[in-house]
Amino acid sequence: MTRSYFCTMLCLILHQIDAAYWQEWDMFYLPGGVQGFLAFNLAAIALVLVGYRHVLLSTPRAPFYATCCATLGIATFAIHTGFALAGREQFHLPLSMAIIVLCLVSGGRLLWDLRRTNRL
């Protein structure tokens, strides 16, 4: 579970770096613009980093954080697939799309690892 959590976390962080380039706050109509985007990322990145610590230490809260991280990865793919189907042109560069697909793959693997270890 440690590796799949790390991969999902890495993909999510890379996606947020890419999202800054694409000005994702405009796509979501976030109040506060870039400031709202930064506030969201402060909370989201803190959540996945704290969760990684729990996973590394195998605390009782590890499955909760792993589920949150996996859900964020899968939701990232689902949301951006919806944007693409709606005709949005952001995130259509090859690495942008690869990162979004990897969010799905690594998030799915993390859920699989949770199930396999009977922690979900």
Side-chain angles (χ1 to χ4, degrees):
M1 183 167 67
T2 302
R3 279 186 230 157
S4 57
Y5 190 104
F6 178 82
C7 290
T8 306
M9 176 179 67
L10 178 62
C11 289
L12 288 168
I13 292 171
L14 284 172
H15 171 69
Q16 289 312 108
I17 292 167
D18 194 34
Y21 171 79
W22 293 107
Q23 298 181 358
E24 193 173 63
W25 53 90
D26 289 335
M27 294 173 68
F28 284 99
Y29 303 103
L30 282 177
V34 68
Q35 296 299 300
F37 178 76
L38 289 171
F40 165 78
N41 279 291
L42 175 67
I45 292 172
L47 175 83
V48 296
L49 289 174
V50 167
Y52 188 53
R53 180 178 183 276
H54 282 273
V55 168
L56 286 173
L57 298 174
S58 296
T59 71
R61 301 292 295 158
F64 167 77
Y65 284 105
T67 302
C68 289
C69 186
T71 301
L72 284 170
I74 293 166
T76 296
F77 176 83
I79 290 165
H80 288 284
T81 298
F83 280 140
L85 292 173
R88 293 287 195 142
E89 295 181 12
Q90 297 92 333
F91 299 98
H92 280 84
L93 293 176
L95 282 177
S96 297
M97 291 189 296
I99 291 167
I100 290 168
V101 169
L102 287 171
C103 282
L104 172 68
V105 171
S106 60
R109 176 59 194 252
L110 180 52
L111 285 179
W112 173 262
D113 287 349
L114 273 165
R115 264 194 124 157
R116 188 175 45 83
T117 60
N118 295 318
R119 296 184 85 181
L120 180 64

